[in-house]
Amino acid sequence: QVQVVESGGGLVQPGGSLRLSCAASGSIFSVNVMGWFRQAPGKERELVATITSGGTTTYVDSVKGRFTISRDNAKNTVYLQMNSLNLEDTAVYYCNADIATLPGRYLGVWGQGTLVTVSS
């Protein structure tokens, strides 16, 4: 049994910064790709950023240059540093991780989500 738990969401003013964390725990054999998704009110869930176990990253164009994804493999934790936040960044942010509990058997695991509200 494995789970991922997000933390770090909250209320921030436009132009501010926030750092999200997502920790995987349980009977983990290995963790491959980890990523962050978000879902704004009335909109579909979108992929924000991903990072491989080797450190290769991808970002959606709207956050490039403002957000940075990173991970600590020893802690099975992924982070999302969000700078220069604007109103359009308001959303529930979800962590997803490809986790193997047995060799070669990966499963995408979702966190419960953490709310980020950008407002003046």
Side-chain angles (χ1 to χ4, degrees):
Q1 297 295 321
V2 297
Q3 66 175 10
V4 295
V5 179
E6 304 99 330
S7 62
L11 176 65
V12 63
Q13 294 185 332
S17 297
L18 210 58
R19 184 180 186 241
L20 305 182
S21 299
C22 172
S25 62
S27 300
I28 298 173
F29 178 80
S30 64
V31 181
N32 195 4
V33 178
M34 305 181 81
W36 289 95
F37 293 72
R38 68 184 180 184
Q39 188 164 20
K43 299 186 181 300
E44 298 293 315
R45 186 174 299 187
E46 70 170 342
L47 178 63
V48 177
T50 66
I51 184 168
T52 69
S53 59
T56 301
T57 61
T58 68
Y59 299 91
V60 66
D61 287 344
S62 61
V63 309
K64 204 155 191 174
R66 300 188 298 120
F67 291 10
T68 302
I69 188 171
S70 62
R71 64 191 286 170
D72 185 335
N73 290 333
K75 297 180 179 179
N76 291 321
T77 300
V78 63
Y79 307 93
L80 187 66
Q81 178 65 48
M82 304 183 292
N83 299 324
S84 302
L85 287 162
N86 56 55
L87 300 181
E88 290 68 44
D89 294 317
T90 294
V92 176
Y93 285 72
Y94 298 91
C95 176
N96 180 268
D98 291 331
I99 302 173
T101 58
L102 293 170
R105 188 179 181 183
Y106 286 92
L107 181 67
V109 182
W110 290 93
Q112 80 289 345
T114 185
L115 177 62
V116 173
T117 302
V118 184
S119 176
S120 60

